[in-house]
Amino acid sequence: MTAKTYKSIISPSLLSCDLANLEKDAKEMMEMGCEWLHMDIMDGHFVPNLTFGPPVISSLRKAHKDAFIDCHLMVTEPAKWVAPLQKAGASNFTFHIESEMPEGGPKAMIKMVKDAGMKVGIVIKPKTPIEEVFPYVDDIDLVLIMTVEPGFSGQKFMPDVMPKVKALREKAPDLNIQVDGGLSPTTIDSAAEAGANVIVAASAIFGSDDRQGVINSLRAGVDKQIQS
Ligand code: DX5
Ligand code: ZN
């Protein structure tokens, strides 16, 4: 087996935290060793749910100067939110390839995010073929492969998405491949075996009495594969 260059990264989705205590829950996640904080930005159009936007990211940034704020944009026009989110302090800007692209398509969108000084990711829904991201993998920091239909926490992991993770890992051995939706200690092995290394989880972590135990088990699932 060739040595793997990617690392395990745990990115808890704060959508399921106590949003009235965002600062406190984010701190707890970082103290428990989570590298990133996943923020689900939804506009009620691209997905049938409405969450939060730049003002909340800005407050989180003020509370946690060193946090890596991993923003997952589920909005119709992501280009509109590049400048506001950069200003708010987002670390990473991940946009859906199925959303409306600016003139110049995903390439222009990638450039816009990079020029704003943020890391850039592309995310695809469960039914979008993985080949759609192939032309961009050398220009981006991460690909997020959704393992549920975007919009809500607490849905069931879709194992039939795993061949896409596998195909991308074969094509991009060093890339950060993120999975999001239904990840838990029960589903982590399937995702990690396919080659995912950045794990998003909301309900599995925040719905547990043993959050540290869940985080450790997600990480162990990925690390086991990295070491294999
Ligand atoms: C869904 C979001 C997820 C969500 C995950 O659209 O992108 O980040 O919070 O929730 P769980 O881990 O509960 O499936
Ligand atoms: Zn998400």
Side-chain angles (χ1 to χ4, degrees):
M1 259 336 261
T2 46
K4 301 185 178 80
T5 53
Y6 54 84
K7 296 194 163 48
S8 54
I9 295 175
I10 309 299
S11 190
S13 163
L14 295 175
L15 187 56
S16 288
C17 80
D18 175 6
L19 287 166
N21 287 297
L22 179 62
E23 186 275 329
K24 183 176 121 306
D25 281 3
K27 182 162 180 265
E28 180 186 325
M29 290 299 106
M30 292 190 289
E31 284 173 357
M32 289 184 173
C34 297
E35 290 85 354
W36 294 4
L37 300 172
H38 187 82
M39 295 296 278
D40 289 298
I41 298 176
M42 307 188 193
D43 68 353
H45 292 275
F46 184 73
V47 286
N49 194 10
L50 185 65
T51 56
F52 35 72
V56 174
I57 304 298
S58 176
S59 294
L60 183 60
R61 171 56 69 215
K62 279 189 198 113
H64 294 299
K65 302 236 171 342
D66 300 327
F68 187 96
I69 306 179
D70 169 31
C71 295
H72 172 193
L73 279 285
M74 284 161 274
V75 302
T76 301
E77 272 188 273
K80 270 195 357 200
W81 303 105
V82 172
L85 280 170
Q86 183 272 331
K87 213 167 155 233
S91 308
N92 190 76
F93 186 108
T94 299
F95 64 89
H96 272 271
I97 203 161
E98 305 89 353
S99 58
E100 281 175 26
M101 289 291 104
E103 212 185 307
K107 265 212 145 46
M109 190 67 213
I110 291 165
K111 183 172 183 321
M112 206 181 286
V113 176
K114 281 186 173 175
D115 287 349
M118 292 179 284
K119 301 254 186 230
V120 59
I122 294 183
V123 44
I124 57 171
K125 293 186 193 181
K127 291 193 193 81
T128 304
I130 193 65
E131 289 74 18
E132 292 204 11
V133 304
F134 284 177
Y136 312 107
V137 290
D138 291 337
D139 294 328
I140 59 181
D141 299 289
L142 112 114
V143 170
L144 164 52
I145 299 175
M146 290 304 297
T147 42
V148 297
E149 286 299 334
F152 298 91
S153 300
Q155 303 180 75
K156 209 169 162 282
F157 177 78
M158 298 166 73
D160 44 325
V161 170
M162 290 307 104
K164 296 202 298 187
V165 176
K166 227 171 160 216
L168 181 61
R169 180 52 77 206
E170 275 162 23
K171 169 135 187 101
D174 305 328
L175 186 70
N176 277 329
I177 302 181
Q178 187 175 49
V179 282
D180 180 6
L183 272 305
S184 73
T186 347
T187 57
I188 186 62
D189 283 347
S190 158
E193 272 165 31
N197 68 302
V198 186
I199 310 301
V200 176
S203 48
I205 295 177
F206 292 103
S208 170
D209 293 336
D210 179 16
R211 294 175 177 181
Q212 183 75 73
V214 172
I215 292 163
N216 292 349
S217 134
L218 295 174
R219 188 181 304 287
V222 177
D223 287 347
K224 190 171 72 191
Q225 290 305 318
I226 291 178
Q227 284 145 20
S228 71

